[in-house]
Structure formats: structure tokens, C-alpha cells
Amino acid sequence: TSRFASLSLNEGVLDALIVALDSSEPLRRARVVPSFGRLLSAIEDEVYNNKQTKSSKDKTPPEEDVLLKSHLRRYILGSVSKTATLPPLKDMKLRAVLTSTLLTVKPSLGIWALQEPGGMQQTLQLIATGDIRCQDIAAEVMCLAAPVDGGQELLGAALQSGAIHELLKSPHGGIRAAAASTITSLSIKAKALEEDTPEVSAILNASIDVIKLYKKSATLVDFDNKNNK
């Protein structure tokens, strides 16, 4: 309940749920995500109810965001050694899983997590590993971020770098579908802005280039398959 939400957070319940999010068992993760979302909502409700007793002139920022962000930041920023520019792979995976979950249960916090230092860089690095699990997590993050306000600016680099094209070539159907959905969402959002700006043009042009490259690759694969029969 909201009454004990902050206590649960302080006692490590939120931490336990975050760790469980990176479970290799899909069923377990599917059960954890709703629980994680309910706890975040309960924390917000508790803080909101507490704020009702304060002066209406209080101009402080939303306390639930301050509370949650300070607690989540240790997982978002991870641990970077003095000799490395990126945290360990396990930390990047956990950050991406947490970001994906935040985008699902509270999109504004998910975008915040992606905007924090290294957000997109680590997402692209997960794609570059070539590992199915890493690419699946990264594809999910981009798919969920694409239709959210602020997501378009963050994902432009993924289109222009060719990372999404790599996902479209994945043998994993779920990864290909997430990449295609990302491109679709970004294109629709860019067109809806009706702005003739370099940023919007870059997204639309990059989307077209990715689709052309994917069609060319698919044609070549189909041609090779026919010749091998």
C-alpha cells in the first residue's frame, strides 16, 4: 500500500525487484514488472498525500521524482572504472532492463534514464556485442522510447549509426519486429511535427535509408536461398 511504500523502498524491496528484472526467465520478469510499477505508483501516492499537508506556496520539485531518481541513479549510472569508458556488460544490461521497465510503467522516468550520461551509448554498445539477449534488451528500449516525448531526439543517433539496420538483420523475430516498430514510430512522430528542420529531415532520411538497406538485404538472402535449392 502507499502507506508503507517509502518504508519498502528503504528496506530494499525496490532493489530486489530491480535485480529480478534481469532474470533469464521471461515468466519471472513478467511477474516482476507489474509489481515494480505498483511500488512506484505507491511511492508517488504516499508522497502526494504528504504534500497535501504542506503550504500551497511550496515550489519544490515533485518529491517522488527526487526520491526515485536518487535511488535509481546507482543502477542507471552503474560502475565505471578509472581505465574504462563503459561499465561492465552486466551493469549495462541491468540499466537497459531497468530503462525498459521504466518506459513501460512510467515513460517520463524511462526517458530520464535514457537521457542520463551514457544512456544511448550503452544501448548501442549492447547492440554491437552481437549477443541475442543484449540486442533484445536494446531493441526493446528503443521500441518503447520511440513514441514517447523526448525519445525521437535520443534515437536519431541509432538510425544514423546503422544500429537499427543491424537489428533488422537479426535471426530473432522479436528483435526484428522491435526494430521495425522503432522506425515506424520515429517516422510517424517526425511527420507529425510538420517541421522543416535538419533534425526531422535527418530522421526521415535515415528511416528511408534503413528500409532500403533492409529490402536489399532481404532480396539478396532470398536470391541466395533460391540458388541453393
Side-chain angles (χ1 to χ4, degrees), residues 82-94:
K82 295 181 179 179
T83 59
T85 57
L86 290 170
L89 182 61
K90 64 180 181 64
D91 288 350
M92 290 193 288
K93 286 172 60 181
L94 182 58

Side-chain angles (χ1 to χ4, degrees), residues 127 135 138-139 142 162-170 175-176 179:
I127 296 173
Q135 291 189 339
M142 294 193 295
I164 292 185
H165 180 230
E166 289 302 310
L167 297 180
L168 286 170
K169 296 189 295 183
S170 170
I175 293 176
R176 294 198 305 272

Side-chain angles (χ1 to χ4, degrees), residues 22 26 37 39 48 51 127-128 150 152 158 176-177 185 193 207 213 223:
D22 195 24
L39 182 55
Y48 176 79
K51 286 195 69 174
I127 296 173
Q152 176 182 321
R176 294 198 305 272
S185 295
L193 291 175
S207 298
L213 286 170
F223 179 76

Side-chain angles (χ1 to χ4, degrees), residues 43-58 60 62-64:
I43 293 172
E44 292 179 348
D45 290 344
E46 181 176 344
V47 173
Y48 176 79
N49 291 333
N50 290 338
K51 286 195 69 174
Q52 296 301 93
T53 62
K54 294 185 177 181
S55 169
S56 60
K57 296 181 180 180
D58 187 0
T60 57
E63 292 182 39
E64 66 271 16

Side-chain angles (χ1 to χ4, degrees), residues 21-80:
L21 287 172
D22 195 24
S23 171
S24 58
E25 302 175 13
L27 182 58
R28 185 185 183 194
R29 186 185 172 202
R31 291 173 175 170
V32 172
V33 172
S35 300
F36 181 84
R38 285 194 294 270
L39 182 55
L40 292 193
S41 297
I43 293 172
E44 292 179 348
D45 290 344
E46 181 176 344
V47 173
Y48 176 79
N49 291 333
N50 290 338
K51 286 195 69 174
Q52 296 301 93
T53 62
K54 294 185 177 181
S55 169
S56 60
K57 296 181 180 180
D58 187 0
K59 301 298 183 181
T60 57
E63 292 182 39
E64 66 271 16
D65 279 355
V66 173
L67 180 64
L68 288 173
K69 287 178 180 178
S70 64
H71 200 87
L72 295 171
R73 191 167 272 115
R74 75 185 74 170
Y75 298 101
I76 296 301
L77 297 182
S79 57
V80 181

Side-chain angles (χ1 to χ4, degrees), residues 115-137:
Q115 288 173 334
E116 284 290 284
M120 276 308 303
Q121 180 188 13
Q122 293 180 31
T123 302
L124 296 179
Q125 182 61 34
L126 289 176
I127 296 173
T129 64
D131 178 77
I132 293 295
R133 172 62 176 155
C134 291
Q135 291 189 339
D136 189 33
I137 298 170

